[in-house]
Structures are given as structure tokens and as C-alpha cells.
Amino acid sequence: MALAVGQIVEGEVSNIMKFGAFINLPEDKSGLVHISQISDSYVEKVSDHLEKGQKVQVKVLSMKDGKIDLSIKEALPKTTKPVEVTLTKPEKKDLSFEDKLSKFLKDSNEKYEAARSRQNAKMGTGRRR
């Protein structure tokens, strides 16, 4: 059976490098799993995730000029992560336009004063020569 792009096959880790791992594939072929294709989480060291001789499932990403690009994370079954939803307090519907405008101006002035006081603290309160 010839390898094809998109196919998932089992291989064995033959060598570990800083930038990824070489995988021995069926039919005496070999390919590279780049460090970015090892896991969905951050990979600082390839050796933290893979060992020489380890059997892994890989997906063939591309085959160009005799080079085979592989992915371990693409071969994993897709899982849906829960989406975080932030709830905000609903605004009171019974406020008049003038009340909403007054509230907005008050909040805006408070934010402006806070930013101004932070800036003054950084720069010093007085002007120096």
C-alpha cells in the first residue's frame, strides 16, 4: 500500500532532533514530524513528548521531492473544547437616555482621572529643569 497525503499510518520514532522527530514508516520510508506538529500544547523539548523507538500514529501532510511531512497532532481524534462564556449584568432597561448619558460620563471621567494619576505617578508630579 503506497503512502498518500491525508493518510494516517503507524510509525516508529527513529531519531529525535531539536526541531522535530524522524519517523520510520511502512515500505522503508521515513518522514519528519516538525516540533509544531507534535502536540496541541506547547512543546519546548521534543524529548519531553517522544522517545526513540516509540510507536506513534501520524498523518501524512505532504510529500515533496522525496520528503514526507508528518503530524502527530493531526492524527489524534478531534475533541471539542468547551467554550468559555462570560456573562455580564444586563443593563437596566428602565433607565432614560439622560440617566444612561449621565452614567457614561461619570464612568468616563473616573477612567480618565485614574489614567491621568497613573501617568503623573510615572512622570513625577512637578516639572523639573
Side-chain angles (χ1 to χ4, degrees):
M1 174 174 78
L3 289 177
V5 174
Q7 184 179 8
I8 296 178
V9 295
E10 183 173 299
E12 182 178 322
V13 178
S14 62
N15 198 4
I16 295 177
M17 308 295 283
K18 287 183 179 180
F19 54 85
F22 289 96
I23 310 293
N24 285 335
L25 301 170
E27 301 176 10
D28 293 326
K29 297 196 181 223
S30 139
L32 172 70
V33 176
H34 188 264
I35 191 169
S36 65
Q37 293 295 323
I38 291 175
S39 175
D40 285 329
S41 61
Y42 177 71
V43 178
E44 186 171 343
K45 287 182 170 179
V46 177
S47 59
D48 290 344
H49 294 267
L50 298 173
E51 295 176 358
K52 195 171 182 177
Q54 179 180 352
K55 301 273 187 195
V56 290
Q57 294 283 327
V58 292
K59 181 177 182 177
V60 179
L61 296 179
S62 70
M63 298 171 63
K64 294 178 188 172
D65 302 324
K67 295 180 181 179
I68 303 172
D69 293 327
L70 305 170
S71 173
I72 293 174
K73 71 179 183 180
E74 294 285 327
L76 297 173
K78 301 292 181 207
T79 59
T80 57
K81 295 180 181 178
V83 177
E84 288 187 27
V85 177
T86 57
L87 299 176
T88 58
K89 291 182 180 179
E91 291 291 323
K92 292 183 179 180
K93 301 285 182 185
D94 56 348
L95 291 178
S96 69
F97 175 77
E98 288 79 16
D99 292 338
K100 289 179 184 178
L101 183 60
S102 174
K103 182 181 180 315
F104 170 78
L105 288 173
K106 180 183 169 212
D107 292 344
S108 179
N109 284 334
E110 288 174 357
K111 289 178 184 178
Y112 174 74
E113 289 299 322
R116 192 168 149 197
S117 66
R118 281 193 306 270
Q119 186 67 26
N120 286 340
K122 285 182 186 177
M123 304 280 286
T125 55
R127 203 167 187 189
R128 297 182 187 130
R129 288 197 164 210

